[in-house]
Amino acid sequence: SNLLAPQSNAIQDTLPSNANVYMCFQSIFKIQPSFDSVLMQILLADKEAYIILQASTDDKLNKIFMSRIQMLLASLKMPHKFNRILFHERIPSEFVAPLIEQLADVVIQPFPFDGSRTAFIALETGTPTVTLPRDYLRSRMTFNFLKSREQMT
């Protein structure tokens, strides 16, 4: 059964069947400029990559973030890749697990702020999760979940 929110279905319908979906479903303020290079490296390394990010309820924050990403892509001579970054509206928490389970090939956690709820959901759905722990707790939640489950490789 399809438990996705309406926008999720629209995103799912636009993805090619061979898409590799990297989901970073965090509040957009957590995606700092220091993490932008990770998003760019994914788009460079994987020709089938699509990145799904969670849009903010604050349109000003969305515009600032999108502008930053568009400028970075243009500076890397990849402006055409902007269409591979999809913005999903915030959804009620009961839709997050089905969204990750049905759309994400990999969940990526940003730094210096990673996730706790989304990391836990990703682990519960069996979705591979990538994190880069830093010195502070705010970037070690996912690492600690993985470590406690002895899933570190």
Side-chain angles (χ1 to χ4, degrees), residues 123 143-153:
L123 293 170
F143 173 80
N144 289 331
F145 283 145
L146 290 168
K147 189 175 178 183
S148 71
R149 299 179 84 170
E150 297 181 10
Q151 294 183 3
M152 296 301 297
T153 57

Side-chain angles (χ1 to χ4, degrees), residues 95-140:
F95 289 118
V96 175
L99 177 73
I100 289 173
E101 196 166 39
Q102 293 181 35
L103 293 183
D105 292 304
V106 176
V107 170
I108 52 176
Q109 297 293 342
F111 54 78
F113 301 97
D114 75 359
S116 55
R117 184 175 59 98
T118 54
F120 182 77
I121 290 169
L123 293 170
E124 289 298 304
T125 63
T127 307
T129 303
V130 179
T131 187
L132 179 62
R134 299 294 178 117
D135 292 336
Y136 298 103
L137 179 62
R138 65 180 176 245
S139 69
R140 300 183 66 81

Side-chain angles (χ1 to χ4, degrees), residues 72-92:
L72 184 55
L73 285 166
S75 74
L76 295 171
K77 310 238 184 300
M78 302 190 313
H80 58 286
K81 299 244 183 190
F82 187 72
N83 68 342
R84 292 193 175 237
I85 300 175
L86 308 175
F87 296 89
H88 195 291
E89 67 191 0
R90 288 187 69 86
I91 55 175

